[in-house]
Amino acid sequence: MGKHIKKKDAISVSLTDFIDFVNKSGNSKMTKVKQVKYRNTYHPASDFYKALREEIIETHKNYGDKKVLDNLIDKLTDSKKRANYPTSIDGYKKFWGKKKIQWFDPPFSHWLTGDLDIKINPELGLEFDSKFYVIKLFLKAEKISKDKLSQILSLMENQLRGEVGEEVLFCVLDVKNAKLYENAKGDFTYLPLLEGEAKSFESIWKAI
C-alpha cells in the first residue's frame, strides 16, 4: 500500500507526469524525465486547469448548482483559459446532468517505489445513484488512451483501496467528453509494467 507521508529526499513526481513517461518510447522517455527534473518549481500560473479543478471541487463541497461553474469564466484574465475553459465546463455540466450529488473527501496517497514518490491524488469524491465514486479528472484536449486509463485506474485501485470501503468505485472522468471510466475491481494487470517503468524513470533521473 501507499503511504500518506512523503519520503524524505524522494524524487517527487505527479501521477500525470509519470503516466506520460510510461506511454512514451525511446529517446522521448529521457526527454520527459529531463522536462520534469529541470522544470521550474511549481507555480499555480503554470497549472492551466487549476482554477477549474478548484471551482468544481468547491461547487460540490458547497452543494452548489452546476450553473455556478459558468461564473468562473468572468473571473479569468488569461485569454487562453477564457477560450478553452467553456468546453471543459460544458463537458462537466453534461456529466453532472440531473444527478443529485453528495460530496465526500477522496482518499490521497503516495506510491513510494525505490526513490520515487508518485502522488496518487484523485480530485473528487462523489456519491450519486446510490454509489460512491472516487474520480481523477482528465482535462487535456486529446483523447485519453485505453492504456493510460488502465494504468491510472490500476494505481488508484492498488494504492487507495485500503483507504475506502469495497463499495467505492475508482474512476477517470474525461471531462471534455463527459465520459466516466470505471475500474474493474481487483484488476492489477498493469502493475508489473508500472513498477518497471518507475525503476526506469528513477534510473534516468539519476543519470542526467
Side-chain angles (χ1 to χ4, degrees), residues 98-159:
K98 296 182 179 180
K99 299 180 182 73
K100 298 195 181 300
I101 295 176
Q102 298 289 320
W103 170 267
F104 65 90
D105 290 330
F108 170 86
S109 189
H110 292 267
W111 181 34
L112 303 176
T113 173
D115 287 332
L116 211 60
D117 178 359
I118 299 168
K119 293 170 283 189
I120 313 295
N121 56 341
E123 292 89 352
L124 307 178
L126 305 179
E127 178 189 357
F128 56 87
D129 299 337
S130 301
K131 293 182 180 179
F132 297 86
Y133 299 85
V134 170
I135 300 171
K136 181 70 181 169
L137 297 175
F138 181 81
L139 287 156
K140 293 182 178 180
E142 71 266 21
K143 183 178 179 181
I144 187 168
S145 69
K146 183 179 178 181
D147 282 345
K148 281 190 176 183
L149 274 170
S150 298
Q151 292 156 12
I152 294 169
L153 290 170
S154 289
L155 277 178
M156 288 172 65
E157 177 75 32
N158 187 54
Q159 295 300 307

